[in-house]
Amino acid sequence: QVQLVESGGGSVQAGGSLRLSCVVSGYAFSRLCMAWFRQASGKQREWITKITTSGTRSSAESVRRRFVISRDHGKATLYLQMNNLKPDDTAVYTCAAVPESCGDSFCYCRDEYDYWGQGTQVTVPS
């Protein structure tokens, strides 16, 4: 059974930083494509950043110059370093995973995630 467990959320003043963690068990972490999503109260869930098995990153424009996704294969852990936080960043942050898909000659990450964590609350008071 694949499990994703987030931690590191909390309340931080505007301009501050937080680092979220997502520990993965039940599947070979090195073969998982990973991502972070967030959902603010009353809004739809929003994809914010993802990372491939080889470490290639992409991010939404709203966080591109402030948030950094990373992964530690030895610890089976995904991270989200969030800097210069703003009140609009207030949301429940959730990590997600999908096994890398491989054909005859190449592998790729789907954008449909199979596994989800329970989420961690990040609050940036205005």
Side-chain angles (χ1 to χ4, degrees):
Q1 181 180 1
V2 181
Q3 289 190 318
L4 285 64
V5 180
E6 302 97 335
S7 62
S11 182
V12 61
Q13 291 185 341
S17 298
L18 280 176
R19 189 177 79 157
L20 306 183
S21 299
C22 170
V23 178
V24 179
S25 61
Y27 200 97
F29 183 70
S30 62
R31 294 172 54 194
L32 289 172
C33 306
M34 303 295 301
W36 287 98
F37 289 77
R38 68 184 181 185
Q39 186 169 20
S41 180
K43 295 186 178 180
Q44 288 190 329
R45 185 169 61 198
E46 170 192 19
W47 167 80
I48 54 174
T49 187
K50 62 183 179 181
I51 187 168
T52 68
T53 57
S54 60
T56 301
R57 303 175 176 91
S58 59
S59 300
E61 179 61 32
S62 59
V63 305
R64 189 163 296 158
R65 280 168 284 278
R66 300 184 296 122
F67 293 7
V68 179
I69 189 172
S70 63
R71 61 192 298 162
D72 184 331
H73 286 192
K75 295 181 178 180
T77 301
L78 178 73
Y79 299 101
L80 182 65
Q81 177 66 44
M82 305 186 294
N83 301 318
N84 190 22
L85 283 159
K86 304 175 181 180
D88 284 348
D89 295 320
T90 295
V92 175
Y93 285 71
T94 304
C95 60
V98 59
E100 186 178 53
S101 298
C102 293
D104 290 340
S105 57
F106 69 95
C107 295
Y108 65 96
C109 291
R110 292 185 289 117
D111 283 332
E112 298 168 342
Y113 293 87
D114 295 334
Y115 309 109
W116 298 82
Q118 82 288 349
T120 186
Q121 176 71 45
V122 172
T123 302
V124 187
S126 56

